[in-house]
Amino acid sequence: MTQQPATMDSRPDARATLEAIQEQRRVRALTEAKELGLVAHFADLHSTVDEQPGKVLPGVEKLVQVGSEGTPEVAGFCALELAAALGLGVPDATVLLANALDLRHRLPRLWQRVMAAETPVWLARRIATRTTVLDAHHAGLIDLHLSRVIEGMSPSRLLRLVDGLVLEHLPSQEAERRRQAALDHRGVWVQQSSEGVAAVLATLDAADALFLDAQVNRIAQIMSEGGNADPLAAR
């Protein structure tokens, strides 16, 4: 049977379907936000352990800090219980706990947006992870900055902004350590293709990259003045 094209009569059904999809997304966002809130509450329920007098023996539960600076400690076996309940590995459950606590205690404005389903959980968790290198004060400054500009920003642009803000607030020693670590990955790689062209990928010091870009553009300009009619990118 040949499928008939959409008619004017079918458009109300299409609009209703789109609205239903949007509603399902909203419900899912609220559900994920509620789940993250329950993870934080689960951590609250494990804020103490039964202290034993004397020396703490190996294997005895104690309080640990799974989140970043400024977050409360939780019982050491807390992540094990959460992992078993959610079918996660212990490392993943620990990161989930840490993200929830970091958001609630270090990024409270972003936490409120998540709880209201205004910012998706996955995006907020990525932001929380990116700010773990900062102390609680500087994480709070980023939280304040984001609260003023986050509305309407795409996830990719928002994450780039967070990365820039983190670098801005990093202690100078840590920023230099990261720069040196990044320099260790400098190199040039050539990838040959079957069409007779090659892709060249290079990781350079920022100053070297700017110099190289300027030189390539200078040569392209000389080629143009010499009569080469290829587009700028090809030159």
Side-chain angles (χ1 to χ4, degrees):
M1 180 177 180
T2 303
Q3 185 175 1
Q4 296 297 318
T7 64
M8 290 294 291
D9 292 339
S10 69
R11 290 181 182 178
D13 288 340
R15 285 198 298 271
T17 300
L18 285 175
E19 290 171 359
I21 293 171
Q22 291 175 321
E23 176 62 16
Q24 286 303 309
R25 285 201 163 191
R26 189 186 72 83
V27 170
R28 182 173 62 193
L30 287 169
T31 300
E32 291 175 351
K34 183 176 181 180
E35 180 181 306
L36 190 67
L38 289 172
V39 169
H41 181 59
F42 182 75
D44 294 338
L45 298 175
H46 291 78
S47 60
T48 60
V49 295
D50 293 330
E51 297 183 359
Q52 301 295 330
K55 185 178 180 180
V56 177
L57 300 175
V60 174
E61 187 173 32
K62 58 183 179 180
L63 291 175
V64 296
Q65 188 170 33
V66 296
S68 305
E69 182 194 81
T71 61
E73 295 181 327
V74 299
F77 298 158
C78 177
L80 294 173
E81 295 182 49
L82 187 64
L86 299 182
L88 299 174
V90 175
D92 289 338
T94 302
V95 170
L96 177 58
L97 279 167
N99 288 161
L101 293 173
D102 280 5
L103 283 165
R104 191 178 66 178
H105 294 275
R106 290 162 49 93
L107 305 166
R109 296 172 183 83
L110 182 57
W111 172 260
Q112 289 301 321
R113 288 186 60 87
V114 173
M115 291 300 100
E118 295 171 350
T119 297
V121 169
W122 70 266
L123 179 57
R125 291 187 61 189
R126 289 191 185 182
I127 293 172
T129 298
R130 280 164 159 77
T131 60
T132 56
V133 295
L134 301 177
D135 59 28
H137 170 70
H138 287 98
L141 292 178
I142 289 180
D143 183 49
L144 178 61
H145 185 102
L146 293 182
S147 70
R148 295 168 175 167
V149 301
I150 192 172
E151 196 67 44
M153 290 187 70
S154 68
S156 58
R157 185 181 172 197
L158 181 61
L159 291 175
R160 287 196 299 270
L161 172 62
V162 171
D163 287 340
L165 291 172
V166 168
L167 287 175
E168 180 181 328
H169 290 289
L170 271 179
S172 57
Q173 298 91 337
E174 174 62 18
E176 178 60 20
R177 186 196 69 77
R178 286 188 166 206
R179 192 183 79 85
Q180 290 297 330
L183 288 176
D184 292 340
H185 297 284
R186 285 174 296 178
V188 179
W189 299 268
V190 178
Q191 299 174 337
Q192 193 74 30
S193 79
S194 59
E195 289 81 19
V197 296
V200 179
L201 174 66
T203 298
L204 310 174
D205 177 271
D208 291 340
L210 290 173
F211 178 76
L212 174 62
D213 184 58
Q215 290 292 75
V216 168
N217 278 281
R218 175 175 171 270
I219 294 171
Q221 180 62 31
I222 293 173
M223 293 172 65
S224 176
E225 292 171 356
N228 191 311
D230 285 341
L232 175 61
R235 296 198 308 274

